[in-house]
Every structure is written in structure tokens, then in C-alpha cells.
Amino acid sequence: MYTDGASTGSPGWAGAGVFIKDGAIVDRYSFPLGVRDTHEAEFLAVIKALELLKERQAATVSLRSDSQTVVQAIEKEYIHKELYKPLLQEILSLSKEFPLFFVKWIPSKENRADGLARKAVQQNKGAKKR
């Protein structure tokens, strides 16, 4: 799975993108998140993805993210900033539900969820105008 978060500011309109590939099956999700900062959106994207995979009863999860903050926090099981600690704890708790869980940092240009996160930001903006 690929996850990405985006925000128009810090904080600003935010969105999460999730791209899941399971064999030949590909699913794409965009989640508007209201007003958040970029790191919150990144953490929330991972949570949304893990919740989706838990519903599917996935056994092996390979998380790919271009957020060094998120990847390092998961690997170290620690984040300094208080705002992100509950989000990290939720990710760690959800990740333990899978027999195999891997996390890998990837460059932004390889993140298949990038456009989905940006789409979610636009959905947020559009909903606010109505």
C-alpha cells in the first residue's frame, strides 16, 4: 500500500490518499481531513489504510510512504511532538494486527497515493464552498 497526506498550509485544508494493490486488484481512496497540518495528514493516511486492510483481513502489509517523519516514527516507535503521539500509537496498535508488517520510505515521485491526497484536499475545499 502507498499512503500520502497533503495540506494547503500548516495547518490548512488537508487530505489523505491511499493506494492499495493486492495482486491484480487496485483500489484508490481520497479522504478529506478538514483543517490539519501535513504531518497529521500523513499519519492519518496510514491509519486509514491500515483500517481498510484490517477490514479485508490482510495478512501481509507493505507500507510505502514519502514521509520520512512517519516512516522514522514507525520504525523507532517514537515521535517527539506531542500532537502526533496518539496518531503514532494508533498506527503501532493497528500494525500489530497483521502477521507481517513492513514500512519503507520512498521518494515522492514514486508515491502512487500523491495525486489521491491532493484530490482529497480539493474535495475539502469544494465541500467548504457549498
Side-chain angles (χ1 to χ4, degrees), residues 2-37:
Y2 295 78
T3 65
D4 200 14
S7 177
T8 59
S10 194
W13 293 114
V18 175
F19 178 98
I20 298 173
K21 186 173 187 313
D22 184 6
I25 300 167
V26 174
D27 291 308
R28 295 171 178 87
Y29 302 90
S30 294
F31 299 99
L33 300 173
V35 176
R36 310 271 184 173
D37 73 27

Side-chain angles (χ1 to χ4, degrees), residues 46-67:
V46 174
I47 291 168
K48 296 279 190 190
L50 291 174
E51 289 172 345
L52 289 165
L53 292 173
K54 182 179 171 184
E55 288 175 14
R56 296 177 183 201
Q57 300 177 342
T60 302
V61 173
S62 178
L63 164 63
R64 304 194 179 227
S65 173
D66 60 16
S67 171

Side-chain angles (χ1 to χ4, degrees), residues 67-78:
S67 171
Q68 290 182 345
T69 299
V70 170
V71 170
Q72 289 174 0
I74 294 170
E75 288 176 341
K76 294 178 182 177
E77 297 187 2
Y78 175 80

